[in-house]
Amino acid sequence: MGDPALSRRGFLTASVAAGLGVSALSGCGGSDGGSSSGTTTVEWWNISTTEPTKTVWAGLARKFEARNPRVKVKVVQLENDAYKSKMTALTASGKLPDIFHTWGGGVLRQQAEAGLVEDLTGRTAAFAKGLLPVAKQPYLLDGELYGIPFDIGMVGFWFNKSLFRKAGIGSPPTTWSGFLDAVRKLKSAGITPLALAGKESWTGMYYWAYLAMRTAGVDALRKAGEDKDFTGDGFVRAGEHLKDLVGLRPFQRGFLGAAYSTPTGQAATVGNGRAAMELMGQWAPVVEADAGKGLGDDLGFFPFPAVEGGKGVITEVFGGGGGHALRKGAPQAAVDFLRFFASEATDRELVRTTGVLPVVPAAESALGDDNLKAVQARLRGATGFQLYLDQAYAPALGQQVNDSVAGLIAGSTSPRQVADAITRTAKEEQ
């Protein structure tokens, strides 16, 4: 699967650009985790840093240890951006954790082509066949399975019903022009329409990605990735639509310096009722309640609107899920942990306590939240699906998408410059 040396050099270039020395990160992979006492230690890296997920996942590790007394699970939990940066450097070093969070797509493919991750097709066949097929899609590379999902979902707008009523908005908008009208109504009512974590570029990317899907069409994103060309009119118009939104000044004060899950960040701003909406994945309610107070019955969900005259439709969804991959040569205990995490009992606990959508069909009955049921219904009825762009594409290209869109939102980059910058990076990755 490609040239491992080239793949690793690509990761190393990205890690140097991010200012990360490989020597700063150590202790991952490279052994069977055994000890003289006969105990196997597996290192598990994940991004579950908010409650209740952080505690629930740590508890699952302890439960696994209780059932497997000769295994110890070392849990490393990192915030999203810090995780991505450190994994980039670790991949460049050729030493990955035994078990690690993955979104699949281009990042996982590059790790696989570098010979750093385990092909799980045979080792997990006994239990992976029972998982939802759509949940496994991001981890299938040339028909082989390189990750086991624990979540699946989509990005959409989470909104405050009370603030919508206060602004005189009777129902969620279904078109882009209707969405801009709703933003104007909220501002006229003295309400901040949108919360955004401008400090974390992946949050703004969601807007451009969806607008590209709605304007150019979901197939155009796939073709642009293959052709290394994002200069088409549909992609430029996506940036123009986003520029129109930014021109309305819809975000909270200080959004360019705001993080996502901190007490003053994007999720808390919505969860505390200080903004009417955020564009976020299915995990949003949990993070809003952890970082802020949460909205309870006032929280609603609606899909990203259709763009008039665009080639995309409202039933095409953008998102993905979370999964776990293993480093090449990971011990059997790591495979056993994946089996434990993908069991019906664990999936039910995750659905019930952390708000994830089930990947084990038998666990679906544990889903009680009406908003998450709405997300699941949208996924079932989806006519197209696009993985997060910073995961669907190779790492350098995904980061360029994030950075270029962040520049557009900050007012330092034009829609045409966004398309040109992404294309240049795509061609450089060849």
Side-chain angles (χ1 to χ4, degrees):
M1 295 178 65
D3 183 344
L6 287 176
S7 298
R8 292 187 190 185
R9 278 201 298 274
F11 273 103
L12 184 56
T13 300
S15 66
V16 171
L20 292 165
V22 173
S23 62
L25 299 160
S26 61
C28 296
S31 70
D32 63 5
S35 71
S36 58
S37 64
T39 298
T40 298
T41 298
V42 293
E43 193 160 303
W44 173 32
W45 282 40
N46 62 66
I47 60 169
S48 298
T49 59
T50 58
E51 297 294 356
T53 309
K54 181 177 182 179
T55 298
V56 170
W57 281 37
L60 286 170
R62 304 291 82 80
K63 184 181 292 185
F64 177 78
E65 289 175 339
R67 296 181 182 180
N68 299 270
R70 292 187 176 274
V71 179
K72 294 296 180 185
V73 180
K74 180 181 178 181
V75 183
V76 178
Q77 295 171 305
L78 297 169
E79 178 274 329
N80 190 303
D81 277 359
Y83 175 82
K84 290 176 181 176
S85 295
K86 290 189 177 183
M87 284 297 293
T88 297
L90 285 177
T91 304
S93 77
K95 295 182 179 180
L96 295 177
D98 298 301
I99 307 165
F100 60 94
H101 181 103
T102 179
W103 292 273
V107 175
L108 183 61
R109 176 175 290 277
Q110 205 166 50
Q111 291 167 333
E113 290 178 345
L116 299 178
V117 293
E118 189 77 8
D119 181 344
L120 299 173
T121 308
R123 298 181 74 180
T124 65
F127 61 92
K129 64 182 178 182
L131 303 177
L132 289 175
V134 68
K136 290 185 286 187
Q137 282 301 312
Y139 316 104
L140 286 169
L141 306 178
D142 302 325
E144 303 301 310
L145 189 65
Y146 283 82
I148 298 297
F150 60 80
D151 187 20
I152 184 64
M154 63 177 282
V155 172
F157 281 106
W158 297 90
F159 74 104
N160 187 317
K161 297 175 185 177
S162 177
L163 294 182
F164 265 44
R165 288 193 296 269
K166 182 178 178 181
I169 303 171
S171 59
T174 58
T175 64
W176 183 245
S177 62
F179 178 78
L180 295 182
D181 285 343
V183 168
R184 295 185 186 98
K185 287 181 179 179
L186 288 161
K187 285 184 69 72
S188 295
I191 299 166
T192 298
L194 293 160
L196 183 68
K199 186 178 180 181
E200 301 180 28
S201 58
W202 59 273
T203 59
M205 175 268 291
Y206 288 175
Y207 286 89
W208 188 86
Y210 250 132
L211 285 166
M213 286 176 61
R214 297 292 188 256
T215 305
V218 67
D219 288 340
L221 276 170
R222 174 190 53 76
K223 191 172 189 303
E226 294 173 352
D227 296 346
K228 317 294 184 184
D229 187 358
F230 293 81
T231 59
D233 182 62
F235 297 113
V236 176
R237 283 190 288 121
E240 291 170 347
H241 288 310
L242 179 52
K243 185 177 178 181
D244 290 341
L245 172 63
V246 173
L248 298 178
R249 301 175 67 88
F251 305 118
Q252 81 275 23
R253 183 176 299 178
F255 76 91
L256 287 175
Y260 170 56
S261 59
T262 61
T264 58
Q266 174 176 327
T269 300
V270 176
N272 290 331
R274 296 196 299 267
M277 294 179 281
E278 68 167 327
L279 182 61
M280 193 48 60
Q282 69 280 1
W283 57 85
V286 173
V287 184
E288 288 171 7
D290 177 60
K293 297 177 182 177
L295 298 180
D297 292 340
D298 270 336
L299 183 64
F301 175 85
F302 65 93
F304 197 95
V307 173
E308 296 89 337
K311 296 181 180 180
V313 294
I314 201 169
T315 53
E316 292 171 343
V317 303
F318 172 77
H324 288 121
L326 304 184
R327 67 168 175 85
K328 187 73 172 180
Q332 181 60 36
V335 179
D336 294 340
F337 184 80
L338 294 189
R339 180 187 294 109
F340 164 78
F341 218 80
S343 68
E344 179 184 341
T346 297
D347 204 27
R348 283 184 178 277
E349 183 173 351
L350 292 173
V351 170
R352 187 178 64 255
T353 60
T354 70
V356 302
L357 292 174
V359 297
V360 179
E364 188 171 317
S365 60
L367 192 60
D369 182 86
D370 287 340
N371 284 317
L372 292 180
K373 287 180 179 179
V375 174
Q376 188 179 44
R378 289 283 175 182
L379 282 167
R380 282 207 209 99
T383 58
F385 188 87
Q386 173 63 52
L387 182 65
Y388 312 117
L389 297 189
D390 56 358
Q391 300 301 317
Y393 303 138
L397 179 55
Q399 188 61 52
Q400 184 63 64
V401 174
N402 289 0
D403 292 344
S404 296
V405 174
L408 177 60
I409 292 173
S412 61
T413 306
S414 72
R416 169 60 68 180
Q417 288 172 326
V418 169
D420 288 345
I422 295 171
T423 298
R424 281 197 302 273
T425 300
K427 292 184 181 300
E428 290 169 358
E429 284 290 288
Q430 293 189 70

